[in-house]
Amino acid sequence: MILSFSNCFALVGPMPLSIVIGSVNLADGKAVTYSYDEQGKVIWSKNASDDIKRIGNAMLQTETGKEQLDKAISSQTKITFQIKDRRDKSTIMGDAQYGIPKDYDGTTELKSATINIYEQSIKEILASGEFGSDPCLEIASYWASQDGDTGLDNYIGAVAGHEIEHIVSQANRVLCYNYRHNKTAQNKSAKELVPNIIKVRILWEMYVK
């Protein structure tokens, strides 16, 4: 499904701002926490990796990014965040990976999951100007690409917001299950629709609001 620019604009609206002290789980099982000092600066716990700081700092710039990060924090799923070079030779910017029981249908929360962000793929896509047929993503990518390394980190945060939805949303997990068992273009579009809207909304709030 192709989103129109008008639809994208209409879906961006004010969202409640929730400042939390929470945790994002790492592979070692120890929670990473963040808080705010008196000047509003984000303070990460000592065990926060550089990847967590990059992803989290980018997400915490916007209301939608904060909302997605809060979803990850409040989820019963232990989520690991990693920034890597690329996935094989593909141009995939990120993915959500989780081990699932054979009969898993998406209706229950996962025990653990990993979100991978592929930095080199993002760099190449931003540099290429080839964003596919979705005008919302093309415009949002243009804004991000104008901002050098800061734009790269912002886009990393937006991709993370997208991937979080695949893990924490029961409705989306069911759509992912449907796609795994029937890999049609329609099922793929269905599972990516809301995560793509979230990604665009995060970028919109970074560069327009």
Side-chain angles (χ1 to χ4, degrees):
M1 177 181 287
I2 297 175
L3 302 176
S4 71
F5 180 75
S6 58
N7 285 342
C8 190
F9 181 86
L11 285 164
V12 177
M15 304 180 71
L17 177 62
S18 58
I19 298 179
V20 302
I21 299 176
S23 63
V24 177
N25 292 304
L26 291 181
D28 62 7
K30 297 179 180 179
V32 171
T33 62
Y34 74 87
S35 59
Y36 295 86
D37 65 16
E38 293 180 355
Q39 287 71 45
K41 181 181 178 181
V42 179
I43 306 298
W44 293 94
S45 56
K46 292 182 179 179
N47 64 328
S49 68
D50 289 341
D51 287 354
I52 279 287
K53 290 176 183 178
R54 284 184 71 188
I55 293 169
N57 286 338
M59 295 186 72
L60 289 170
Q61 292 182 67
T62 67
E63 294 175 14
T64 300
K66 286 174 182 163
E67 181 178 293
Q68 289 303 99
L69 189 58
D70 289 352
K71 286 181 183 179
I73 289 166
S74 62
S75 172
Q76 295 300 308
T77 304
K78 183 182 293 185
I79 303 174
T80 300
F81 291 85
Q82 300 179 122
I83 298 177
K84 298 182 176 181
D85 189 28
R86 65 172 67 251
R87 192 176 85 178
D88 301 323
K89 295 182 179 180
S90 74
T91 58
I92 291 174
M93 293 182 288
D95 58 33
Q97 299 180 353
Y98 40 83
I100 54 175
K102 187 176 181 179
D103 60 348
Y104 182 75
D105 61 3
T107 57
T108 57
E109 287 195 273
L110 298 156
K111 290 184 177 180
S112 62
T114 300
I115 290 176
N116 298 305
I117 308 296
Y118 300 107
E119 182 173 7
Q120 187 59 35
S121 295
I122 293 174
K123 284 182 179 179
E124 291 175 3
I125 289 171
L126 292 179
S128 72
E130 297 177 2
F131 308 122
S133 59
D134 189 331
C136 288
L137 293 180
E138 180 175 355
I139 293 166
S141 299
Y142 171 79
W143 294 325
S145 68
Q146 301 306 298
D147 207 6
D149 290 341
T150 300
L152 173 64
D153 279 7
N154 289 349
Y155 206 91
I156 284 173
V159 172
H162 170 115
E163 299 300 340
I164 286 170
E165 193 69 10
H166 285 310
I167 295 173
V168 302
S169 166
Q170 177 180 319
N172 196 267
R173 292 196 304 269
V174 171
L175 292 173
C176 289
Y177 169 85
N178 293 339
Y179 177 69
R180 285 196 303 273
H181 290 270
N182 186 13
K183 294 188 176 182
T184 64
Q186 182 177 2
N187 283 347
K188 182 176 183 179
S189 294
K191 77 181 183 72
E192 297 297 338
L193 176 61
V194 172
N196 277 339
I197 289 171
I198 288 169
K199 181 168 70 171
V200 171
R201 186 180 288 173
I202 290 171
L203 289 165
W204 184 279
E205 291 171 4
M206 285 178 176
Y207 289 95
V208 176
K209 290 183 69 176

